[in-house]
Amino acid sequence: MWKYRCKSHLLSLIGSFLIGMLFGLIANLVYGSELQVYMREILAEAGVPAAALPSLEAYIESPLLQSLSMGIVFAGLVNVVLLAQYFSSVSTFSPLIFIVLLMFASTLLLFVGILLLLPSAVACIYGMVTLRSSLASQRKQRNITSDDEIVRVYKIHHQLQENVRPMAQECKKNVRKITLVYGLGIAAALCVMFFVQSFILLAILFIFFFMSFSYLMRYYASSLMPIRLLLYQNCDPEACASACIYYGMDRKGRVRIKDRILMAQALIYMDDPQLAMDVLIDYPRRDQASTLQYWSLMATINYMLKDEEALERCKEEANKVRMNFGTQGIMVQNEEIASIQNKVDLMSGQFNTCKKYYLQALQKASFPFQQVDACYYIGMISFVEQDYSLANMYFEKVINLGNQMSYVAKAKHFQSKIDALGQTQSDEFS
């Protein structure tokens, strides 16, 4: 899991180092003489030994050395924050420990972040290299070189709908704006930590930043909702997959799929599990939630491919995940594991258990595509149990709600079988 964080971690360290250097150079250009006087006063008050003064004097008079040290401080600060984020995702108590240390030992945290800069950079490079090698091996096995290859295969099997391109481009613009604001907010938070001396004011500002970042993340999620609703509300997986492709397309026509989970879901409901598996090869499992979501989707794919061994492995991997979000996290994990177990039960023919699961899922369904999914499987199980009237009723719901989902064609196929059976029984009776 940690390897998927390495690239962003390393880039953040490099970026924060460069920003720190730039900040130091600007400070020296604007307040150079004042800073030198201030630093000499601090050294005098601290009672620094005379033997150390020549080397410190060289540092005071060198803008380059000061800028380098400022870059290291910025990078150390970002490093400790990123490490805290990682440990908070694998341990329940890490966020509380970090907050306590931030309040009472912020200097110690910064010192630890600086000390761990080099080990963190080495670990990030190692993680990036090994992850890249692993993913390259998986792509080679699947004969997939890049996302452009996935799009090429997609166009062979399905239609790329041009009418959703404007929507996808508008979503991309909104996300870029939010990302820019988020970056400016992080820069502002760093400046606050360096320049605000009042503990009370610092606490108030951090609460404000926390609330602002939370709002931005909610707005970020809602900015992608128009694409998601193509599947969730309209039950049109082909339009949703097309929007995902256009959303990840640059000006030169190259594609980098951004929302791989949504793309894989759309392909599943287009009855294309092989391509959905290809899409998930590069899905970044950065935390426990994304890892659980990955194995849940892989379980659905392996069920569609009738791979019982792989389905059992998905169940084992999902059970290893530990969600650290309190009661809500436990509920989410239980729901995902129950979904995987249901696929195992379907594979083994435990239809009574599966039917109860889908009836409950139908009651809790928030979106039409979830209703279609539950109705289709209830109808299929009823068909196997030879309860044709009940099966026909649920297949009719699938047809009415399913729009472009692959379940519609399958439901019509089952209905034709039911009609044929009814005609045969009528002929026998007559």
Side-chain angles (χ1 to χ4, degrees), residues 303-314:
Y303 167 74
M304 295 174 71
L305 297 174
K306 305 304 179 186
D307 191 337
E308 188 173 356
E309 184 178 347
L311 183 56
E312 287 291 343
R313 180 171 178 264
C314 292

Side-chain angles (χ1 to χ4, degrees), residues 73 76-77 80-81 97-114 193-194 196-197 199 202 206:
V73 169
L77 181 61
V80 76
V81 171
I97 295 171
F98 178 72
I99 292 172
V100 171
L101 289 173
L102 183 63
M103 293 176 65
F104 299 104
S106 56
T107 305
L108 175 63
L109 274 181
L110 179 58
F111 185 65
V112 170
I114 293 172
M193 290 190 68
F194 277 101
V196 175
Q197 301 297 323
F199 177 78
L202 188 64
F206 266 106

Side-chain angles (χ1 to χ4, degrees), residues 44-57:
E45 291 176 1
V48 177
L53 287 175
S55 57
L56 291 174
E57 190 68 27

Side-chain angles (χ1 to χ4, degrees), residues 9 249 358 384:
H9 192 138
M249 187 178 292
Y358 283 116
V384 173

Side-chain angles (χ1 to χ4, degrees), residues 167 170-172 174-175 178 214-229 247 259:
M167 175 197 295
E170 185 63 28
C171 290
K172 185 188 291 187
N174 292 334
V175 168
I178 296 169
S214 299
Y215 175 78
L216 276 175
M217 293 310 295
R218 287 197 296 269
Y219 187 65
Y220 176 86
S222 65
S223 66
L224 296 174
M225 190 54 69
I227 296 177
R228 294 192 177 104
L229 288 179
Y247 178 77
D259 196 337

Side-chain angles (χ1 to χ4, degrees), residues 138-161:
Q138 293 180 51
R139 290 194 210 100
K140 187 176 180 180
Q141 291 177 0
R142 303 284 302 171
N143 293 322
I144 295 293
T145 56
S146 65
D147 286 350
D148 290 318
E149 178 68 15
I150 289 176
V151 173
R152 187 190 68 80
V153 176
Y154 176 88
K155 289 179 180 179
I156 295 173
H157 298 167
H158 314 284
Q159 182 181 0
L160 189 60
Q161 298 184 12

